[in-house]
Amino acid sequence: MHLSVSSILISILLASALIVIMQWMLSHRAAYKALRIDFLSIFAIIIGLRLFLPFEFINTHTISSHKVLPVIYAMGNQQLRTPTASITVLNIFKIIWLVGFVIGLMKLIYDFGQFHKVVINLEPVPNNYLAPSVAELIPEQVKLLYLPIRVSPFTLGVMQPKIVLPKIQLTPTEQENIIKHELCHIRSYDVLKRYVIELLVCIYWWLPLIYLFRSQVNQIIEMNVDYQMVKKGSKTEYSKYVHSLMSVASLIATQPQNSQFNFPQFTINEQPTLEDRIFFLLEGYNVRHTSLFFKVVLVLLPLLITSVIIEPEHYDRKDMEGTYSVIPSSHKNYILKKGDKYYLIVKGKNAGRLPNYTGAKDPKLKQLPVRSK
């Protein structure tokens, strides 16, 4: 694997394009007829991995840019001088990026600390709040907390999971479906997934589409739990679960929200996704899987988005003038091969990449030995 400015730029462009495509899939309900939650989940994982690992891989093929990228690289390498020092434009951007990441990470930690202070002061759920049959579903290690305001139930905590229930009067059936839903979040480590996404947001804080991706992941997490809840149930159980979601959504919609309570991004807040999830479930009783064709496309997608990278002809041609006349037998003058890329090494120093080495006709260049290290 090799990390470079080009690999980061290409990864961001490809991931951005995939985020836009996924938004189209999530916002057009007709797409559900062909693409279901299994496809959307893997699609989101591919986007996340590409952003976390913006590297060139073994299967990556390099395409040379003769106009656009060389100009960008030249701008990035411009020196900005002060009376005491000089710094390139690219390094300034790196510093701004790093500072933004540190601020975002510190804010995430701060929000976690502040929310923890709120959580430790919450009271356990009253003994008479849940029906006895529902209370038996709660594992011993899971704490049930009571939030005396009308918000959607939510889950928090990874090592010590907690389910927070709101001040809403629900039937035993609705209570059962809600508790099972939240327990599914815990078994799927969905809170941990949210932490990972928040770290990704801290890294790419300057990229507007990363915030859209965060919302998409939240929606997919909820849709996946809904799928887990109904995939093995009967038609009656399916209907009861959908009715429970609609009931919670109706109760929350008719009550004023508490302006003093804000959900941190690392909690599983279900309220913004309820409407889309209900429409997803009302699409039909039969729980569908994505067709074989789209699954094949999904398997090939990671290979396609890592198969090409565009790099500039960024070496300085003036520095290379006359280098082809070096004595081939000198151990300090050779062609360095890294994967499908070739670099000219003169007197032990890298003089730049040779994007067209395999097609070069200069006999003096071809006289230089090719080494892998």
Side-chain angles (χ1 to χ4, degrees):
M1 295 189 299
H2 176 66
L3 182 66
S4 65
V5 174
S6 295
S7 66
I8 294 173
L9 287 175
I10 292 298
S11 296
I12 292 172
L13 289 174
L14 288 172
S16 297
L18 294 179
I19 291 172
V20 172
I21 293 172
M22 188 161 70
Q23 183 61 26
W24 177 85
M25 291 188 289
L26 289 171
S27 58
H28 288 74
R29 297 190 179 107
Y32 296 161
K33 295 179 181 179
L35 308 173
R36 301 302 281 186
I37 192 61
D38 53 348
F39 183 95
L40 295 172
S41 298
I42 299 175
F43 200 87
I45 291 172
I46 292 172
I47 295 173
L49 287 176
R50 189 55 180 160
L51 289 171
F52 268 120
L53 302 172
F55 299 101
E56 298 178 43
F57 296 93
I58 296 175
N59 66 310
T60 303
H61 177 72
T62 302
I63 299 175
S64 297
S65 172
H66 299 274
K67 295 181 179 181
V68 178
L69 284 185
V71 173
I72 295 175
Y73 269 61
M75 292 174 60
N77 290 322
Q78 281 186 347
Q79 294 280 340
L80 300 179
R81 302 185 183 277
T82 67
T84 57
S86 64
I87 186 172
T88 64
V89 173
L90 181 59
N91 285 335
I92 292 176
F93 279 113
K94 289 179 181 178
I95 293 171
I96 295 174
W97 191 342
L98 180 61
V99 170
F101 167 71
V102 173
I103 292 174
L105 189 60
M106 291 176 63
K107 184 180 183 302
L108 180 63
I109 296 172
Y110 174 79
D111 289 344
F112 176 82
Q114 293 298 110
F115 192 66
H116 179 70
K117 292 178 181 179
V118 175
V119 171
I120 61 176
N121 292 322
L122 294 180
E123 297 180 359
V125 169
N127 293 330
N128 60 349
Y129 183 80
L130 293 178
S133 59
V134 178
E136 294 176 355
L137 299 172
I138 313 298
E140 193 173 318
Q141 71 274 19
V142 177
K143 291 185 178 181
L144 222 59
L145 302 176
Y146 182 69
L147 187 63
I149 59 176
R150 296 179 184 271
V151 294
S152 175
F154 62 95
T155 302
L156 55 95
V158 178
M159 302 302 295
Q160 297 177 328
K162 303 172 184 66
I163 298 174
V164 180
L165 299 176
K167 185 181 179 181
I168 300 177
Q169 294 298 322
L170 299 170
T171 66
T173 300
E174 291 167 346
Q175 290 179 355
E176 179 181 352
N177 282 321
I178 288 173
I179 293 299
K180 286 182 177 179
H181 179 99
E182 300 303 328
L183 290 175
C184 191
H185 276 306
I186 293 172
R187 288 192 297 269
S188 301
Y189 298 97
D190 287 336
V191 175
L192 179 60
K193 296 173 187 175
R194 293 302 306 273
Y195 276 115
V196 172
I197 292 301
E198 285 308 305
L199 179 59
L200 197 61
V201 171
C202 290
I203 295 173
Y204 293 98
W205 58 269
W206 50 269
L207 183 65
L209 285 174
I210 198 68
Y211 301 97
L212 176 61
F213 181 58
R214 177 170 63 187
S215 299
Q216 292 172 344
V217 170
N218 184 43
Q219 183 173 345
I220 291 171
I221 285 174
E222 290 300 332
M223 292 167 67
N224 183 59
V225 170
D226 292 337
Y227 167 74
Q228 297 298 326
M229 287 287 295
V230 301
K231 67 177 182 178
K232 294 182 180 179
S234 65
K235 187 173 183 178
T236 301
E237 292 171 330
Y238 187 102
S239 299
K240 287 181 178 179
Y241 180 72
V242 176
H243 181 270
S244 296
L245 288 179
M246 295 175 68
S247 176
V248 171
S250 176
L251 286 170
I252 294 171
T254 57
Q255 297 295 328
Q257 295 297 307
N258 190 312
S259 60
Q260 296 180 342
F261 185 81
N262 295 315
F263 283 96
Q265 293 293 343
F266 48 78
T267 60
I268 301 297
N269 176 16
E270 305 175 16
Q271 192 167 324
T273 65
L274 275 174
E275 181 181 348
D276 287 332
R277 290 159 52 204
I278 290 170
F279 273 104
F280 182 86
L281 290 168
L282 291 177
E283 178 69 19
Y285 165 65
N286 294 322
V287 178
R288 305 169 188 152
H289 296 277
T290 303
S291 67
L292 179 60
F293 170 78
F294 288 109
K295 286 182 178 179
V296 171
V297 172
L298 205 54
V299 170
L300 296 177
L301 188 59
L303 296 175
L304 294 175
I305 66 174
T306 60
S307 62
V308 175
I309 187 170
I310 303 174
E311 289 189 351
E313 288 192 73
H314 59 274
Y315 57 81
D316 192 333
R317 292 184 180 273
K318 292 181 179 179
D319 291 341
M320 296 176 62
E321 287 181 1
T323 55
Y324 295 167
S325 62
V326 297
I327 303 173
S329 60
S330 173
H331 69 281
K332 293 185 178 181
N333 304 321
Y334 57 92
I335 303 297
L336 176 64
K337 182 181 179 182
K338 290 185 177 181
D340 62 346
K341 303 179 183 68
Y342 295 86
Y343 301 85
L344 177 63
I345 308 300
V346 179
K347 297 181 180 180
K349 296 183 179 180
N350 193 330
R353 191 169 66 84
L354 300 170
N356 299 315
Y357 173 75
T358 54
K361 299 180 180 180
D362 193 322
K364 295 179 180 179
L365 181 62
K366 290 293 187 179
Q367 290 176 9
L368 293 172
V370 178
R371 302 177 186 175
S372 59
K373 60 180 180 178

